[in-house]
Amino acid sequence: SADEAEPAASGASGDTGSEAPAELTAVSVQLQWLTQAQFACYYAAADQGYYEDAGLDVTIIPGAVDIVPIDVLTSGGADFAVSWVPKVLGAIEQGAAVTDVAQIFERSGTMQVAFADSGITSAADLAGKSVGSWGYGNEWELIAGMQASGVTLEDLEGGSTVQQAFDMNAFIAGDIDAAQAMTYNEYAQVLETVNPETGELYTADDLVVIDWNDEGTAMLQDAIWADSERLASDEAYAETTTAFIKGTIEGCLYAKDEPEAAADIVTAAGSTLGTSHQLWMTNEVNKLIFPSTSGVGHINEDQWDATVAMALETVNPEGATIISADPPEAAYSNEYVDAALAELAEEGVDTMGADFAPIEVTLNEGGE
Amino acid sequence: MRGATTARTMLAPAVLGVVAIALWQLLVVAFDVAPFLVPSPSGIADAFARSLSHIVDAARVTGLNALIGLVMGALTGILVAILANALRVMSQMLAPLVAALAVIPIVALAPVFYAMFGAAAHTGRQIIAAIAVFVPMYLNTLNGLRQVEPVHRDLMRSYAATAEQANRLLLLPGAVPYVLNGLKIGSSLAVISALIAEYFGGPANGLGKAITSAAAGSNYTGAWAYVLGAVLLGALFYGVTAGIEAWALRRRGGS
Amino acid sequence: MSATRAAVTISGVDKVFRTRKGGEVHALSDVSLEVAAGEFVSLIGPSGCGKSTLMRLVADLDPVTSGTIEVFGKSVEQARKDQDYGIAFQQAGLLPWRTVRANIELPLEIHGVEARARRERSDELLALIGLEDFADHHPDQLSGGMKQRVAIARSMAERPRLLLMDEPFGALDEMTREHMQNELVALCQETGAAVIFVTHSIPEAVFLSDRVVVMSPRPGRITDVIDLSFSSRDEELREDAAFYEGVTAVRSALHGGADASSGPRGVENR
Amino acid sequence: MSATRAAVTISGVDKVFRTRKGGEVHALSDVSLEVAAGEFVSLIGPSGCGKSTLMRLVADLDPVTSGTIEVFGKSVEQARKDQDYGIAFQQAGLLPWRTVRANIELPLEIHGVEARARRERSDELLALIGLEDFADHHPDQLSGGMKQRVAIARSMAERPRLLLMDEPFGALDEMTREHMQNELVALCQETGAAVIFVTHSIPEAVFLSDRVVVMSPRPGRITDVIDLSFSSRDEELREDAAFYEGVTAVRSALHGGADASSGPRGVENR
Amino acid sequence: MRTARAQATLWSVVGVLGVAALWELYKAIAPDDGVTVGTVTVLPRTTDIAMPHIWDMVTRLFEPVTRAAGADVLWWAVLQAAAFSLGIAVLGWVLGVVSGMLLALLMQRWITAESAVLPWVVLSQTVPLIAIAPLVKRWGTAIHLGPFQWENWMSVAVIASYLAFFPVAVSALRGLKSPPQADTDLFHAYAAGWWTTLVRLRLPASVPYLMPALKLAAANAVVGTVVAEVSIGLGGGIGRMIIEFAATASGDPAKTWAPILGAVLIGLLSAGLVALLGRGLGRFRRGEVPA
Ligand SMILES: Nc1ncnc2c1ncn2[C@@H]1O[C@H](COP(=O)(O)OP(=O)(O)OP(=O)(O)O)[C@@H](O)[C@H]1O
Ligand SMILES: Nc1ncnc2c1ncn2[C@@H]1O[C@H](COP(=O)(O)OP(=O)(O)OP(=O)(O)O)[C@@H](O)[C@H]1O
Ligand SMILES: [Mg+2]
Ligand SMILES: [Mg+2]
């Protein structure tokens, strides 16, 4: 199952890798998307040897368009998967036995972007507009937000959302009035583009954003998922889970403190994103994690419940909701992340990131 | 004799299909495979029946794109082939371009066409389908136009027929079987291309989008219900064009 | 004044083909021949002696290399444009997507004859070849002989004063062939057309022709012209002593004209 | 004991084809014929009278509907497996990707003759048909007559005591055809093989055969068997009175056998 | 002959240049928003995002992929990715050709198999790749045979072969059935068995039918490889490059064209490879006239 994964010890600082790799437990994690700073925690942890320190030899498997991380996890293709909570809730209802063992992102990075002159300022304004989304389960927050403002899919121009490509061309060309964007990626893509009217790059002033965190329909995003059955039956796997979470949290902390270095680590791991874009992404991702309310990875019950509640109500184009019944108890567990946090606390590590201060990143044309 | 032949052409594939589906169902049931790993045929049938109206709606959107692409691609393919047949230079100029078009993966083109024609409209998808159809259409038609028997060419010359007359009376009718064959090949390409293009953008109400979003939620039973819809749509296109071909060839008398 | 009397006047014609590989094939050398109006002339000779080439030159399907050909006193190009001749090839060459009737009407259609007149003419011709019942059939529903009859009817559609026929009966079995020969004789008598007829069959040439032109290959030239003057051409003739004499005369002309080499002449020229 | 003497014994054979549309074609009806070892028998008759069918039955390419056929006293299947006959069809049927030599060697190769022996035999045969210089050419580089000679050589590769030939010269021009006939006569005399020869040409049948079997269609049956006993078969024979008598005899047999209908027989059966 | 060839090449260059000229000309004269009829854009937009200058695309090839230290020059990166994808496409092609041939043999051997299987073969091509790709990967991952490990690139090759086998199966069947009755009769008369007839007659006779199918299969294998790379996420090839570069589609539009060129390149290369193969089989294609 070791796809084209980057070996964990491939980093620049990894002299440590030469010693007794036999003692390390081999572990693989399936990401949700291609190698990029969204996953800086994992790449930094691998590069800085945190996983090794935790006794793990971690293989990071990048995602792809049709790869559903949860399926890879349940079919044994990986030991852990990184995925958004609402997407996984659907899979759980379809029979996937998986558990959210660490909620790395505490905040949602999804928003809807429009040009300042579009007249869109809130979710209610989306009615009659052409609204973009990537689908693949990334649309739930948008739909929930619209629903909360009384806007249904039928109210949109064309009666449905517009499938957004992997680029922001459609938005810039005006085909899409309000495009879905991650704070750490697509939003920056727009800011890296020359505004033909001014000859300069677009600025934040040219844009308005609808932030689902503010609208109250934010859902939980990047989480680490583990196989519930193995957790219950396999002692070693449970221990590995704690170790993996621990290393990951350390990686996140590294990225918080050393965003430039973390961005370079991701680029060195095979990302072809431009350097300024990569750094922007690292910085924005840090903002989704830090400061943490109850320690990086700890699943806040209120956020979980809110996500589940919205999943029960949000209606897809077919009229079905994401899920029709409450997920089982085992859908999330703080047992492992809390153990990891405790170990880190013992080592004197601050896992709250109270001191976190985002840096200023200047985007260049094309993300260069 | 005739009965036996019909039995073989109709019954054999049906029997094979039924056996394969039964085996599939049996395996899923026997090994208790979770639907998100391998959905069972009965589950797919069930989901198909349940979402029928949505599947039909989505198939209509994708089907219309495919149809428009098919018509556009077929017409331009035929026209360009006629030109290329008349002007040797033109066919030489087009040769590398058609060769390139034939091998460009549709994925590579989709984002480009969305940028060119707008991502909120279906135009980009239709053009992608049209390009996919154009290639076999152009090659087949050109081939057909060049299949003229020397005796027919001589005949036209002996009648002092004009180029236009020769085209209308000899070349085009002669190319009809080739054109129809190209159309048949193009028909399933049109559906597949229109569907894959949805993957990269545009209004989110077609079959391709429905398949991916169902699959993204691990709802594979639902995804395969839409796949079934796509297969039926493709089969419909193929069946209709193959029917047109058979009908036209029977009408004109074999060659 | 001979131009107005003669259907075809061929004088000192040479034809050289340039092959793709840069070689040259001297297909015809210094060929001269005059075909009178209403006369039936057969061309016979081993394969590759230039029979088809000669016919194609008369039809203006290929240009002469040197020499001149006149058809009814005009240039061959003019004659082609004026539709002074009808032509039939070894393969019937019917358009498979057209019915029998539409095939016969093809030349008329190309020359802008209006639908009513076309239909009248094709009715006449269908009757002539005895295929009235097959007017709406497609060529693939016909036997080889029937197809050939349609092609002949087509070549006569515009009542040409000159018919050019290149082995039109080559693909038929002996019985059908004899039947078609009888029909052709009748048709020619009716219409008074001159005919240039290419064939491989000695009995056929003898049965049909006023004159048999014997050719030899490399380069193609006329070696003999045999006059035949049968009083009538009917079934009896085929078993008549005069007929066998004609056959023998043509056979010896063919063999004599090539006595130098006794191998299978013409074979290597294919 | 006749079984050991006769090459082929056909007794009371019927052949009925079932067509796809459910109809029946009675291709042969009560056909009986014995071909002696070394004898040359031609089958002649209008198109569709069952000549090819009869030959295919002898070759075990189709099964009889009723009646029996024996080849050298064995069943046709056994004879086929024992390679007791050689066969040549109207089209040469050479494999285009094989050289002339490889085509001739094909049956030997299939029956596991080793390379040396194959080569010796093909050398012999190439000499026999006069194509030594063309051994390494491919069929598309040959003229029609040359191809046919190769096919005949191939049919003789295993020195069969029986040759089955279905219009082998149909595609040749008259001159080449006569040459091939002369060669075939020589070959048969040399090898002493019995031949069943299907043809449409009366002079050809008369020139080649010890006996000409005349058939009539619907259903195919033998209407006449004409014995010819020429002392020698050479070029003179073709201009001999006895030859013309033979031709006339076969012509009248063919016509007499079908006097009821005087139309173009066979045409509609194609 | 040679001049004709040179002329054809010349004109094909003119054709490519002509398109480039047309591109720039259109870009120069047409409005930014293209030409719309009603709400439908019928002629493309001409913004630099939709249609970058040809020159920009070319110069971009000679700049590094990113500004990161040690980044490759773009053309070199594209070339590497193209080589990687081509390798997989070749494997997919081989798999497809082999399975297509086997299927054709099965269908030729038993007519009932033909009627039973052929409709499904046709139908199989209407199943969208995006539905199959994840399945192949998932099932592949389930395979554990001793030291053998199913790798992602194998899934991509299998998916490529799924598109490649179709033209081969259909055309090979036609080719195997192509010998005229006279030829099959001849072999029957020689008391040759199925195998002998296959090797000495049917296979050689099917070569002319096979050549265009092999070419088509090559094109399909390339398309399948690229789509599968995107779909199941195999890094290193053109497919991955296309989605990776999409992130800069608006900021650095010329860059997004580089992998498209790479895709065309492997397409043409693979067609060329098949043509070479065709030369090797020239002996069996004597009947064909050069197109
Ligand atoms: N287009 C051509 N290019 C080159 N050579 C040609 C061409 N047409 C005919 N020839 C050559 O000219 C010679 C005469 O050919 P032609 O077809 O007139 O012979 P023919 O007498 O009609 O033979 P056949 O009886 O086989 O029809 C042959 O040697 C032939 O190869
Ligand atoms: N496979 C077949 N299925 C049905 N009918 C057939 C088949 N083969 C031959 N026939 C019919 O049997 C009859 C005899 O055919 P056959 O080919 O033996 O005639 P032939 O004497 O060889 O004619 P020709 O001179 O045209 O070759 C014809 O009416 C033909 O249509
Ligand atoms: Mg000729
Ligand atoms: Mg026959």
Side-chain angles (χ1 to χ4, degrees):
Chain A
S1 68
D3 304 292
E4 34 108 23
E6 289 76 21
S10 69
S13 70
D15 268 6
T16 42
S18 54
E19 284 150 39
E23 291 167 26
L24 301 179
T25 311
V27 163
S28 57
V29 55
Q30 172 68 54
L31 303 182
Q32 240 189 145
W33 193 236
L34 311 181
T35 303
Q36 57 179 6
Q38 177 187 356
F39 311 109
C41 298
Y42 312 91
Y43 285 104
D47 183 77
Q48 292 299 309
Y50 300 134
Y51 286 139
E52 244 175 22
D53 296 344
L56 303 179
D57 174 15
V58 175
T59 305
I60 301 173
I61 310 169
V65 177
D66 287 319
I67 295 307
V68 180
I70 289 307
D71 295 342
V72 177
L73 173 62
T74 49
S75 63
D79 299 305
F80 300 101
V82 176
S83 186
W84 290 7
V85 174
K87 296 187 204 181
V88 181
L89 288 178
I92 291 176
E93 188 156 292
Q94 296 291 326
V98 293
T99 303
D100 179 353
V101 291
Q103 186 62 44
I104 300 299
F105 287 7
E106 192 174 325
R107 283 162 278 272
S108 162
T110 308
M111 50 193 199
Q112 217 57 32
V113 191
F115 279 112
D117 57 8
S118 65
I120 298 173
T121 54
S122 69
D125 298 330
L126 294 177
K129 301 288 187 197
S130 115
V131 175
S133 163
W134 303 298
Y136 297 105
N138 295 310
E139 68 274 39
W140 298 122
E141 281 167 275
L142 165 64
I143 296 176
M146 293 192 334
Q147 231 168 277
S149 309
V151 181
T152 65
L153 284 171
E154 277 82 63
D155 296 331
L156 301 181
E157 187 184 313
S160 72
T161 56
V162 174
Q163 167 74 28
Q164 245 171 262
F166 310 113
D167 56 51
M168 290 299 274
N169 285 350
F171 171 68
I172 290 163
D175 300 328
I176 293 174
D177 297 320
Q180 203 166 38
M182 301 307 292
T183 54
Y184 48 79
N185 196 5
E186 287 77 11
Y187 184 64
Q189 282 179 26
V190 178
L191 299 179
E192 290 156 5
T193 303
V194 174
N195 180 349
E197 277 159 36
T198 63
E200 308 271 314
L201 296 183
Y202 284 106
T203 65
D205 296 338
D206 296 326
L207 305 170
V208 288
V209 298
I210 304 170
D211 187 334
W212 302 121
N213 292 304
D214 302 338
E215 300 281 320
T217 57
M219 300 194 199
L220 290 174
Q221 298 194 338
D222 290 24
I224 299 175
W225 298 84
D227 186 318
S228 318
E229 282 154 24
R230 282 176 72 192
L231 280 179
S233 61
D234 183 347
E235 193 82 11
Y237 179 68
E239 272 169 33
T240 304
T241 303
T242 304
F244 179 67
I245 295 169
K246 183 182 168 204
T248 305
I249 293 171
E250 286 180 287
C252 295
L253 292 168
Y254 176 81
K256 168 179 73 88
D257 298 330
E258 307 284 348
E260 285 91 355
D264 288 344
I265 289 169
V266 175
T267 301
S271 169
T272 56
L273 290 177
T275 37
S276 68
H277 190 90
Q278 198 79 269
L279 183 58
W280 171 282
M281 189 181 285
T282 314
N283 191 40
E284 290 299 320
V285 164
N286 283 341
K287 293 184 196 170
L288 301 181
I289 305 173
F290 301 104
S292 170
T293 36
S294 36
V296 177
H298 184 87
I299 302 148
N300 295 321
E301 203 168 342
D302 55 332
Q303 284 182 323
W304 176 270
D305 290 343
T307 300
V308 169
M310 275 184 286
L312 282 165
E313 279 166 14
T314 304
V315 183
N316 73 4
E318 287 190 22
T321 51
I322 305 174
I323 50 173
S324 53
D326 276 322
E329 280 291 308
Y332 83 90
S333 160
N334 273 322
E335 182 183 341
Y336 311 94
V337 64
D338 286 349
L341 287 170
E343 281 180 34
L344 285 170
E346 234 165 72
E347 292 167 22
V349 178
D350 166 29
T351 58
M352 305 299 280
D355 62 338
F356 170 69
I359 58 169
E360 276 295 319
V361 179
T362 312
L363 287 169
N364 299 320
E365 182 177 352
E368 289 289 324
Chain B
M1 191 65 189
R2 165 161 246 190
T5 314
T6 334
R8 201 168 52 219
T9 50
M10 307 297 290
L11 218 59
V15 166
L16 181 68
V18 168
V19 167
I21 290 172
L23 215 67
W24 174 2
Q25 176 81 27
L26 199 74
L27 286 177
V28 169
V29 172
F31 293 96
D32 194 22
V33 184
F36 74 99
L37 286 178
V38 182
S40 68
S42 62
I44 294 172
D46 196 42
F48 186 81
R50 241 183 307 114
S51 329
L52 188 61
S53 67
H54 291 285
I55 292 173
V56 170
D57 285 346
R60 211 177 268 151
V61 171
T62 305
L64 186 67
N65 287 338
L67 187 64
I68 292 174
L70 184 63
V71 172
M72 282 199 303
L75 289 181
T76 42
I78 294 171
L79 280 178
V80 176
I82 291 174
L83 279 179
N85 184 53
L87 302 171
R88 197 178 164 73
V89 167
M90 173 127 171
S91 73
Q92 287 175 340
M93 277 167 61
L94 283 172
L97 303 174
V98 173
L101 268 189
V103 297
I104 297 183
I106 204 114
V107 245
L109 282 182
V112 170
F113 282 110
Y114 285 125
M116 286 183 175
F117 293 96
H122 288 286
T123 324
R125 294 172 184 172
Q126 290 157 359
I127 287 180
I128 284 163
I131 289 178
V133 174
F134 171 84
V135 175
M137 214 55 200
Y138 170 80
L139 292 178
N140 272 283
T141 308
L142 194 58
N143 190 21
L145 290 173
R146 287 179 174 169
Q147 295 298 320
V148 185
E149 286 178 44
V151 59
H152 289 152
R153 220 182 265 283
D154 284 345
L155 203 60
M156 285 295 152
R157 181 168 160 87
S158 80
Y159 293 151
T162 63
E164 182 273 330
Q165 283 174 326
N167 251 320
R168 180 166 50 83
L169 294 170
L170 178 61
L171 301 188
L172 284 179
V176 164
Y178 297 85
V179 172
L180 290 175
N181 186 38
L183 193 69
K184 190 174 66 182
I185 297 169
S187 66
S188 12
L189 281 179
V191 175
I192 283 286
S193 311
L195 200 133
I196 295 189
E198 285 179 30
Y199 210 46
F200 295 90
N205 47 6
L207 277 175
K209 178 64 185 24
I211 294 170
T212 50
S213 56
S218 297
N219 179 9
Y220 285 101
T221 315
W224 277 92
Y226 281 103
V227 169
L228 182 60
V231 170
L232 291 178
L233 185 66
L236 177 73
F237 267 65
Y238 186 87
V240 168
T241 45
I244 291 174
E245 183 184 29
W247 174 79
L249 291 189
R250 201 173 44 237
R251 230 181 78 90
R252 84 205 293 261
S255 37
Chain C
M1 278 292 97
S2 87
T4 51
R5 298 279 330 276
V8 181
T9 314
I10 302 167
S11 347
V13 161
D14 269 58
K15 175 70 190 176
V16 179
F17 285 106
R18 242 159 265 285
T19 59
R20 267 214 247 163
K21 280 160 195 154
E24 287 194 351
V25 178
H26 210 139
L28 291 176
S29 164
D30 193 23
V31 170
S32 297
L33 181 70
E34 193 167 293
V35 178
E39 192 187 13
F40 199 115
V41 173
S42 288
L43 305 181
I44 198 164
S47 190
C49 70
K51 307 181 293 292
S52 300
T53 304
L54 186 56
M55 214 201 66
R56 292 174 59 84
L57 296 183
V58 174
D60 190 32
L61 295 176
D62 283 320
V64 298
T65 306
S66 69
T68 59
I69 304 182
E70 288 189 356
V71 175
F72 297 114
K74 310 181 230 180
S75 73
V76 284
E77 187 181 357
Q78 195 54 46
R80 173 169 67 84
K81 293 202 167 138
D82 293 350
Q83 291 299 303
D84 282 332
Y85 67 81
I87 193 165
F89 300 98
Q90 171 156 14
Q91 314 108 291
L94 303 180
L95 301 182
W97 53 87
R98 289 187 151 234
T99 60
V100 165
R101 182 189 295 283
N103 264 295
I104 294 177
E105 291 182 1
L106 179 67
L108 301 170
E109 202 178 320
I110 288 178
H111 300 118
V113 176
E114 58 142 27
R116 261 271 280 293
R118 285 209 306 259
R119 183 153 185 111
E120 265 169 31
R121 181 68 183 141
S122 60
D123 277 338
E124 268 172 54
L125 287 163
L126 283 165
L128 198 68
I129 58 171
L131 291 180
E132 296 98 325
D133 297 345
F134 291 84
D136 298 323
H137 285 55
H138 281 93
D140 64 319
Q141 297 167 307
L142 306 184
S143 77
M146 291 158 112
K147 277 187 225 169
Q148 208 55 53
R149 279 189 269 170
V150 176
I152 290 168
R154 182 179 61 184
S155 70
M156 295 180 161
E158 302 187 282
R159 301 179 215 273
R161 289 174 293 160
L162 171 64
L163 273 173
L164 305 174
M165 310 183 107
D166 192 354
E167 303 190 45
F169 306 147
L172 307 185
D173 71 90
E174 195 118 331
M175 305 277 313
T176 316
R177 194 163 179 158
E178 288 186 4
H179 173 77
M180 292 295 299
Q181 289 163 3
N182 295 342
E183 279 193 26
L184 183 59
V185 165
L187 283 171
C188 290
Q189 274 160 359
E190 226 166 281
T191 59
V195 182
I196 299 182
F197 189 93
V198 174
T199 181
H200 268 130
S201 162
I202 301 171
E204 180 168 277
V206 172
F207 181 76
L208 289 171
S209 315
D210 297 317
R211 278 193 292 161
V212 175
V213 173
V214 179
M215 298 176 70
S216 81
R218 257 172 309 167
R221 64 177 75 217
I222 296 178
T223 52
D224 241 317
V225 178
I226 292 153
D227 267 286
L228 300 157
S229 27
F230 302 125
S231 52
S232 75
R233 292 188 165 75
D234 51 21
E235 275 300 298
E236 263 100 78
L237 175 61
R238 292 187 198 273
E239 296 178 11
D240 195 287
F243 177 70
Y244 287 125
E245 263 166 45
V247 169
T248 308
V250 174
R251 287 200 76 245
S252 12
L254 264 169
H255 285 244
D259 50 3
S261 65
S262 61
R265 282 168 309 276
V267 174
E268 276 82 16
N269 292 314
R270 276 242 161 161
Chain D
M1 281 295 98
S2 88
T4 50
R5 300 280 330 275
V8 181
T9 315
I10 302 167
S11 345
V13 160
D14 269 59
K15 176 68 189 175
V16 178
F17 285 106
R18 241 160 267 285
T19 59
R20 271 216 244 161
K21 281 162 193 154
E24 288 194 351
V25 178
H26 210 139
L28 291 175
S29 165
D30 193 24
V31 170
S32 297
L33 180 70
E34 193 168 295
V35 178
E39 191 186 15
F40 199 116
V41 172
S42 288
L43 305 181
I44 197 165
S47 190
C49 70
K51 307 180 292 294
S52 299
T53 304
L54 185 57
M55 215 202 65
R56 293 173 58 84
L57 295 182
V58 174
D60 190 32
L61 295 175
D62 283 319
V64 298
T65 306
S66 70
T68 58
I69 303 182
E70 288 189 353
V71 175
F72 297 114
K74 311 181 227 179
S75 74
V76 284
E77 189 181 354
Q78 196 54 47
R80 174 169 66 85
K81 294 204 166 135
D82 294 351
Q83 290 301 301
D84 282 331
Y85 66 81
I87 193 165
F89 299 103
Q90 171 157 16
Q91 315 103 295
L94 302 180
L95 301 182
W97 54 87
R98 288 182 156 242
T99 60
V100 165
R101 181 190 296 284
N103 264 293
I104 294 177
E105 290 183 1
L106 179 68
L108 302 170
E109 204 178 315
I110 287 177
H111 299 119
V113 176
E114 58 144 26
R116 263 271 280 293
R118 285 209 306 260
R119 184 154 183 111
E120 265 168 31
R121 180 69 182 140
S122 60
D123 277 338
E124 269 174 52
L125 287 163
L126 283 166
L128 200 67
I129 58 172
L131 290 180
E132 297 98 325
D133 297 344
F134 290 85
D136 298 322
H137 284 55
H138 281 91
D140 55 315
Q141 298 167 308
L142 305 184
S143 78
M146 290 157 109
K147 276 188 228 174
Q148 208 56 53
R149 279 189 269 170
V150 176
I152 290 168
R154 182 179 62 186
S155 69
M156 294 180 162
E158 302 188 282
R159 300 178 216 272
R161 289 174 293 162
L162 171 63
L163 272 175
L164 305 174
M165 311 184 106
D166 192 355
E167 302 190 45
F169 306 148
L172 307 185
D173 70 272
E174 194 118 332
M175 304 279 312
T176 316
R177 193 162 179 158
E178 288 186 3
H179 173 75
M180 292 296 299
Q181 289 163 4
N182 295 342
E183 278 194 28
L184 183 60
V185 165
L187 283 171
C188 289
Q189 273 160 0
E190 226 167 282
T191 59
V195 183
I196 299 183
F197 189 93
V198 174
T199 181
H200 268 131
S201 160
I202 302 171
E204 180 168 278
V206 171
F207 180 76
L208 290 170
S209 315
D210 298 316
R211 278 192 292 161
V212 175
V213 173
V214 179
M215 298 178 69
S216 81
R218 258 171 306 169
R221 65 178 74 218
I222 296 177
T223 52
D224 241 316
V225 178
I226 292 155
D227 266 289
L228 302 157
S229 26
F230 304 123
S231 52
S232 76
R233 292 189 166 76
D234 51 20
E235 276 299 298
E236 265 99 75
L237 175 60
R238 292 188 198 274
E239 297 178 11
D240 195 288
F243 177 71
Y244 289 123
E245 264 165 43
V247 169
T248 308
V250 175
R251 286 199 78 245
S252 15
L254 263 170
H255 286 242
D259 51 3
S261 63
S262 61
R265 282 168 310 276
V267 174
E268 276 83 17
N269 291 316
R270 280 239 158 166
Chain E
M1 254 336 244
R2 186 173 296 166
T3 52
R5 209 160 198 172
Q7 217 172 28
T9 318
L10 184 76
W11 280 115
S12 57
V13 172
V14 169
V16 174
L17 292 180
V19 168
L22 218 65
W23 176 280
E24 288 295 334
L25 182 75
Y26 175 75
K27 192 167 155 61
I29 59 172
D32 267 5
D33 279 340
V35 178
T36 51
V37 173
T39 56
V40 179
T41 309
V42 290
L43 286 178
R45 297 167 180 163
T46 59
T47 57
D48 283 344
I49 291 178
M51 296 176 68
H53 284 289
I54 303 277
W55 179 241
D56 287 340
M57 297 186 211
V58 176
T59 48
R60 185 64 186 86
L61 283 175
F62 295 95
E63 291 163 14
V65 180
T66 66
R67 271 202 227 160
D72 284 328
V73 159
L74 185 56
W75 67 264
W76 175 239
V78 169
L79 218 58
Q80 282 176 309
F84 180 85
S85 292
L86 182 62
I88 296 181
V90 168
L91 184 66
W93 180 82
V94 170
L95 280 177
V97 169
V98 169
S99 46
M101 284 302 292
L102 288 178
L103 212 57
L105 284 178
L106 177 86
M107 290 192 283
Q108 190 276 317
R109 182 73 181 84
W110 291 286
I111 183 146
T112 309
E114 179 187 336
S115 0
V117 173
L118 198 56
W120 293 103
V121 168
V122 172
L123 218 56
S124 76
Q125 297 301 297
T126 64
V127 178
L129 260 199
I130 46 178
I132 297 161
L135 275 187
V136 172
K137 183 184 156 105
R138 238 180 299 147
W139 293 344
T141 334
I143 296 176
H144 294 287
L145 289 175
F148 175 80
Q149 277 264 325
W150 187 264
E151 306 271 355
N152 236 9
W153 57 266
M154 297 176 189
S155 302
V156 174
V158 168
I159 293 158
S161 74
Y162 184 82
L163 287 193
F165 93 94
F166 175 69
V168 177
V170 172
S171 301
L173 177 60
R174 237 196 244 169
L176 290 173
K177 287 162 81 177
S178 70
Q181 168 132 33
D183 286 355
T184 53
D185 279 349
L186 190 69
F187 275 74
H188 186 68
Y190 292 152
W194 180 77
W195 180 250
T196 311
T197 311
L198 177 69
V199 172
R200 302 228 186 267
L201 178 64
R202 294 192 188 278
L203 279 181
S206 68
V207 170
Y209 293 80
L210 222 45
M211 283 321 297
L214 293 182
K215 214 173 250 182
L216 208 60
N220 284 359
V222 170
V223 172
T225 302
V226 174
V227 173
E229 281 175 357
V230 170
S231 181
I232 67 168
L234 177 66
I238 289 288
R240 169 66 77 84
M241 197 170 245
I242 287 171
I243 34 176
E244 275 179 354
F245 286 5
T248 62
S250 39
D252 189 0
K255 185 175 167 186
T256 41
W257 283 84
I260 296 180
L261 289 181
V264 173
L265 184 72
I266 47 175
L268 294 177
L269 263 179
S270 60
L273 287 177
V274 174
L276 271 184
L277 188 76
R279 283 201 166 178
L281 293 173
R283 172 160 94 90
F284 299 106
R285 304 167 63 201
R286 298 193 67 91
E288 279 176 64
V289 269

